Amino acid sequence: MASTTSIKQVSRDKARAELRELVIAWATDADTHLATYILELGPERSGAKSRCLCPGCGGPLVAVNNAKTQYKVRPHFRHHQGANYRDCAIVAARMAILRTMTDLGWIDLPARTRSTSIKGLDGRDYEGMASRPAERVRVIRAEFSDCAPAVLHLEDGRQITVLLRGEAAPTDGSPHTGAVVVIEVDDPAVALMDPQQLRERLSLNAGACWHQHWDDAAIIDEATSQARETAIDHLALAPDGLDLPSDMPAELKSETVLHYVVKHILREAGELRTPEDVVYVETESEKRCHSRTWRLPEQHLALSEVELEKRLGLTRPDLVCNATDTAGGHSYPRLCIEVTVSNIISQERYNRIRAVGLPALEIDLRALKGRITRDRLKYLVVTSTYVKKWIYNPVLVQKFLDLEKEVKALASAEDEALEEERAERRRVNALPLQEVAEQYLEKAYRYFLLLQDTGDSWPAAGSTTGMAIAEAREDLSKQANLLAWKGYPGADEEDFLHPRGVLESLLSLKFDRGLTRKLNTGFQVLNALVTGGKGIANELTPLYLAAARAFDVPMTPAQQAIVEQWRGEVIERIKTFKGSYVRSSVYDPLLGALFPELREALPRTTGTHFLSVYQKHQQKLQPPPLEQQPREATRATMAATLAEFRHSMPSWMRSSGFLSGADLESWIEQNPESAKAWGVTSIKDKKRS
């Protein structure tokens, strides 16, 4: 232990030089053999009668000025002339400190700390440290065995040897008790201090350190035990109960220890968290890929009946146990756990594990690098799922088989349905379009008639009318699919089948009666279509008028006159207003297939057709363009006009000064028509404009 002394440190040569200048204030009483301070001597012991000996060399000392109250040289001891007193001051200083320590009756003992280290299997040093605290103990007696050490008898019966060590202090061959405290005393000036100064010095406990302690052996054992526990905690030593061959390589020893500790952690913990796993199955039908996914969630398993390395058939798992899901999930009456430290599980070993038929979980510790403590390892093994995976799980296998069967059934059913659809398409394609269209119109007719009975409210789902409407709608959808296969889609769209839509209106005109409307004749339906809503401006009015003519809707002469009036108004709007009667033509191919009578009328009732009619009519209203004369005739006319103009020009206008200045303004005023013909404008006219 390093000293914390505050005593001045000096070199050997300097200390010896200072010794010659120093005197000694402490000596050994020749009668009592106790340390004696110079001022403790009475007048009768002055001079050579001091009966005091040098604590360093043992020679007699002379007491100087010990009985005087006034003096020039402070009281001290002096050797006789010719005596060798080398290093006596330091020895006297030690004796003075021991005497003062005895007078005080206590000593402050420093703390004792010892450390040691153990080399682990990983080649690293693991340190341990143990200590005893500092304490103040009572001294009841001091024995001076020779000039250097003193034996202090403590109140609790223990003994301690105090070595006051300086440059000349003996360090070997001294009789020591079980405990030795060393106090550094290198300053000879201590030999001059009085008892009060020495007590103050000792109260600071300066320079005291242990050389030997009563409990050194126990402290070393504790430090060694701590170092061993640290190494074991870092898995760098074999724990108790695991014997490793001395010739086993260090790397293999580390793996064996890790393997051993994991198994015992599981056995002691009695619990385990397993990882999530996913079963994914897919198969393809002719049209698409069918897939199913199932997840086995993380599980918290309670372990019981744990057995280490129990042989099961051709395999011997590291651990076999009963695992119960605490949340009520899948439990495993026999769960095998494999701990992987270095070597991966081979295919051959995997097959052996699978042959047993028991669930098997792997704890893969190959990714662990560097130091790891037992607590961290326990977290990874028991709580975390990072290093775990299922090697084999009958639950996952069975779920895979179930999902595989399910997706294969789906793919097979879809392929069969596709084949049936193709057969139906072939059958439908063999049917005439007119037959399919007529069947569709019959079903649509029945469907719209059922809607007439509902009025403004839709019937309840379970009612007779509601069920009839639903059945009719389904039949209509099936027939619409046939039309779609024939190349005419859209017959099943809600807009097309709207109760007041274009199909219902055309069917009402065709069959001369209202279907969803409670009207008795086709004319009444046409009247409702033309006069209702937007009236004559409805974008479908031309189509309905054309349908009434194509279907030859029965009418009286008066009704025919009204229809002709409507036609006239429609024609007038088409000619007058650009963009009149623009309707959607998306259903025109389908309408042409359902109503062959309208095939010619459909393209003539579109906004595009009416725009061309409007443009042609507007062109007729434009005035005819002026007739353009041939270019040669125009040139001849211009030449004649210019010649006539030149002939009428005065002679001054033929000069180079023509069209300039006041003469030009005068000519323009006199010949305004000619100036206008030539495009010549006076300056006054330019300013006005």
Side-chain angles (χ1 to χ4, degrees), residues 533-554:
K534 297 180 181 179
I536 198 69
N538 189 325
E539 62 269 16
L540 292 175
T541 297
L543 176 61
Y544 293 148
L545 292 174
R549 175 178 291 177
F551 296 147
D552 195 15
V553 176

Side-chain angles (χ1 to χ4, degrees), residues 629-644:
Q629 297 181 356
R631 178 173 296 181
E632 293 298 329
T634 302
R635 289 180 178 177
T637 303
M638 290 180 63
T641 302
L642 181 60
E644 181 180 356

Side-chain angles (χ1 to χ4, degrees), residues 391-410:
I391 304 173
Y392 177 76
N393 191 330
V395 175
L396 297 173
V397 173
Q398 186 59 48
K399 182 58 66 172
F400 177 87
L401 295 176
D402 293 344
L403 295 181
E404 185 179 43
K405 181 179 180 181
E406 180 182 345
V407 295
K408 285 184 177 180
L410 287 174

Side-chain angles (χ1 to χ4, degrees), residues 75-151:
H76 63 279
F77 290 106
R78 184 180 69 212
H79 286 80
H80 287 277
Q81 291 293 330
N84 183 9
Y85 51 89
R86 178 184 180 184
D87 297 329
C88 293
I90 292 179
V91 177
R94 291 186 227 148
M95 184 188 67
I97 288 179
L98 287 174
R99 158 69 188 277
T100 305
M101 193 181 301
T102 305
D103 291 344
L104 285 174
W106 51 260
I107 182 173
D108 285 327
L109 299 179
R112 178 62 162 170
T113 301
R114 302 299 301 273
S115 63
T116 185
S117 64
I118 292 178
K119 189 170 290 294
L121 297 175
D122 54 2
R124 296 173 177 170
D125 290 327
Y126 294 86
E127 295 185 353
M129 184 178 293
S131 62
R132 295 292 183 270
E135 59 180 327
R136 172 172 286 188
V137 295
R138 184 169 295 280
V139 179
I140 60 175
R141 188 173 75 258
E143 295 178 357
F144 297 91
S145 57
D146 57 22
C147 63
V151 179

